[in-house]
Amino acid sequence: MALDIALPTLCVCCREPVDGEGLCAGCWSKLSFIAPPYCPRLGIPFVYDPGPDMLSMEAIADPPAYTRARAAVRFDEVARTLVHALKYQDRTDLAPAMGRWMARAGHELLGEADILVPVPLHWRRGWSRRYNQSGALARTIERQSGVRLKGDVLRRIRATEQQVGLSRSQRASNVQGAFQVSSDARSQVQGRRVVVIDDVLTSGATVDACARALLRAKAAQVDVLVFARVVDGPRPPI
Ligand SMILES: [Zn+2]
């Protein structure tokens, strides 16, 4: 506590002192929040509203195992700074705000959900970093939504390469079969509507592999909620 008083929190982006949470008002206003209209399945923003139930090209051409995905913000420089600070710089003070924005973006999904399942770290990577950012975000979303967090349902059963720098198809094969619902957790998944929580969605390969594992364990439905997603640019719907 004494340390908190002596050292004011600095904005994670511009290093100015801030009151309370770790992003100043100026940097906050640079975040690109995702709002409708967007693809009802993938959550990819549309440039104009095509009316209800119109899907994006991606959702039709390459439908994922999960039913719906939502993200709080576009993955840009400010979002990247937040994610990296949470992941690698012990800025756990950022998790409550990021989780709240996610709960808002995913309110429709959370309203129908039974359990929250964070994407697990592999234990070796978890050991070196000792912090699961998806778990931290999921804890805030649990408090916000009342949907129960089940942190140990999903296990990473083999080490995967970092997804950074891999192509779309390399990403998919890298994580294929990497996740499993542990046998003693199957009863917690069977018949349940699950929301998978992660920090960033790039190609969607990781959350798709998680969704497949949960559906193999007889989950009734799997949705995905992330803090930031990569968006190539505004696009027209089909
Ligand atoms: Zn700032």
Side-chain angles (χ1 to χ4, degrees):
M1 285 308 276
L3 208 63
D4 281 347
I5 294 161
L7 298 171
T9 305
L10 300 182
C11 173
V12 73
C13 286
C14 68
R15 318 302 297 168
E16 289 293 313
V18 283
D19 270 343
E21 289 165 340
L23 196 66
C24 75
C27 292
W28 188 86
S29 71
K30 289 184 203 145
L31 275 171
S32 182
F33 286 90
I34 293 176
Y38 46 60
C39 169
R41 278 212 68 187
L42 299 183
I44 297 172
F46 287 148
V47 282
Y48 64 90
D49 191 349
D53 304 324
M54 285 297 283
L55 298 177
S56 60
M57 194 109 68
E58 289 88 338
I60 293 165
D62 190 15
Y66 49 85
T67 303
R68 294 170 293 184
R70 296 291 182 267
V73 299
R74 287 171 189 247
F75 190 65
D76 57 13
E77 279 311 306
V78 184
R80 186 201 310 268
T81 305
L82 281 166
V83 167
H84 281 208
L86 179 65
K87 218 173 196 167
Y88 304 117
Q89 296 161 19
D90 288 327
R91 287 296 299 261
T92 53
D93 59 307
L94 298 169
M98 293 166 73
R100 271 203 314 279
W101 301 331
M102 288 169 71
R104 202 173 309 154
H107 71 274
E108 183 192 358
L109 278 46
L110 295 166
E112 301 168 6
D114 299 310
I115 56 172
L116 305 175
V117 173
V119 172
L121 295 174
H122 187 264
W123 64 270
R124 264 171 294 185
R125 221 188 285 165
W127 180 253
S128 59
R129 204 160 65 199
R130 292 190 309 171
Y131 183 66
N132 183 349
Q133 71 283 0
S134 304
L137 296 170
R139 276 193 293 282
T140 300
I141 297 165
E142 179 186 42
R143 280 195 294 274
Q144 289 280 311
S145 65
V147 181
R148 276 195 301 161
L149 167 61
K150 298 284 182 185
D152 49 4
V153 156
L154 214 48
R155 284 193 313 198
R156 214 180 264 260
I157 53 173
R158 63 178 176 79
T160 52
E161 301 293 319
Q162 293 278 1
Q163 295 280 75
V164 176
L166 300 183
S167 74
R168 188 180 173 83
S169 62
Q170 284 170 332
R171 282 170 184 258
S173 56
N174 184 33
V175 292
Q176 195 174 24
F179 301 97
Q180 194 178 57
V181 173
S182 48
S183 53
D184 51 342
R186 290 181 80 89
S187 63
Q188 299 180 55
V189 170
Q190 191 167 0
R192 301 285 159 79
R193 292 163 301 181
V194 182
V195 176
V196 172
I197 306 291
D198 207 359
D199 53 355
V200 179
L201 189 152
T202 306
S203 70
T206 300
V207 286
D208 199 63
C210 290
R212 286 177 195 280
L214 291 158
L215 291 168
R216 275 199 301 275
K218 307 263 191 301
Q221 178 171 307
V222 180
D223 291 318
V224 170
L225 180 57
V226 300
F227 172 66
R229 75 164 299 141
V230 172
V231 178
D232 295 333
R235 70 193 64 218
I238 281 181

